[in-house]
Amino acid sequence: MRCCRCFAFVTVLGVLALIPAKASAVPFGVEYSGGLFTVELLSASEDSKTFVVQYTADFTNFTGGEGGNDAYLFGIGFRGTPAHIISGDVAGPGSWTFFNNMLNANGCTNGSDSFACASTWDGGAFTGTALPTGTGATYTWTFTLNYAAPVTFDLEGQSIKAAFSSDETGARQTGLMSLETHQVPEPTSMMLLGLGLIGASLAARRRR
């Protein structure tokens, strides 16, 4: 009887392991020099014109980029759809300025207005405070993006960017990350999957 209960318990764990921790929000991102950069859709309006996205830069295992010179982060960016962003906003560390433009060495300038971007560049000069990457910190920003018409918003396989510098403003660029996102397993889902597999293994041993 005890073995049956054990098998039922691990079966439940196995089923739970296959259920995403958040059915409505899945993080997509990339690994760059040990750092993890992700974007996650937090909410969408019913008319599919307004989207709230969280951008996270995790420097826990960051090695400093090529040559170890990427001491500061001065800009981030991503694209969720090719449609033009008519207005937007960003909240997060550094009090950075939002632009619907491409991220490059000059901040959020000279590119497609389908990109959501935030950096120390205010349109005329590098004025904000770049964020140190060597502290192992994790930084999070919340973007609100507005479109003129309903759009199909998808963060998988899209461009995600981060710009680095050797100074505290971003005026001295050292590296630019520009990659395509892929799905990143959430810690809760991975933990449940691990418990399910361990439980199934124990149940199999008991049956033998």
Side-chain angles (χ1 to χ4, degrees):
M1 183 68 176
R2 183 179 300 175
C3 184
C4 292
R5 289 179 180 176
C6 176
F7 179 73
F9 176 70
V10 297
T11 300
V12 171
L13 284 178
V15 172
L16 287 175
L18 299 177
I19 301 175
K22 292 183 180 179
S24 60
V26 177
F28 297 95
V30 297
E31 182 180 345
Y32 172 78
S33 295
L36 184 62
F37 301 81
T38 59
V39 282
E40 181 177 347
L41 179 62
L42 299 183
S43 66
S45 62
E46 292 186 1
D47 60 3
S48 297
K49 293 182 180 180
T50 300
F51 301 84
V52 178
V53 177
Q54 179 176 282
Y55 185 115
T56 301
D58 184 349
F59 291 102
T60 302
N61 300 310
F62 190 60
T63 57
E66 295 183 10
N69 297 319
D70 296 341
Y72 293 91
L73 178 72
F74 77 87
I76 56 173
F78 66 93
R79 186 172 77 168
T81 176
H84 303 318
I85 301 171
I86 60 171
S87 64
D89 193 15
V90 63
S95 299
W96 292 358
T97 304
F98 171 85
F99 288 94
N100 55 331
N101 220 325
M102 189 84 75
L103 176 65
N104 55 42
N106 295 319
C108 305
T109 59
N110 302 327
S112 170
D113 60 7
S114 63
F115 276 81
C117 186
S119 76
T120 61
W121 176 259
D122 69 354
F126 289 97
T127 61
T129 302
L131 302 171
T133 63
T135 59
T138 296
Y139 303 112
T140 301
W141 296 263
T142 302
F143 286 82
T144 301
L145 309 177
N146 302 304
Y147 299 85
V151 299
T152 300
F153 199 86
D154 186 3
L155 295 171
E156 184 174 14
Q158 297 282 9
S159 176
I160 184 171
K161 297 176 178 290
F164 303 89
S165 67
S166 60
D167 70 336
E168 296 181 354
T169 66
R172 298 178 180 176
Q173 185 192 31
T174 56
L176 177 65
M177 180 196 81
S178 181
L179 299 168
E180 288 189 358
T181 62
H182 59 268
Q183 186 171 344
V184 177
E186 294 180 284
T188 303
S189 299
M190 294 302 293
M191 180 185 69
L192 288 173
L193 177 60
L195 288 173
L197 293 175
I198 292 173
S201 176
L202 291 175
R205 289 183 181 181
R206 286 178 179 271
R207 288 197 301 272
R208 288 198 299 266

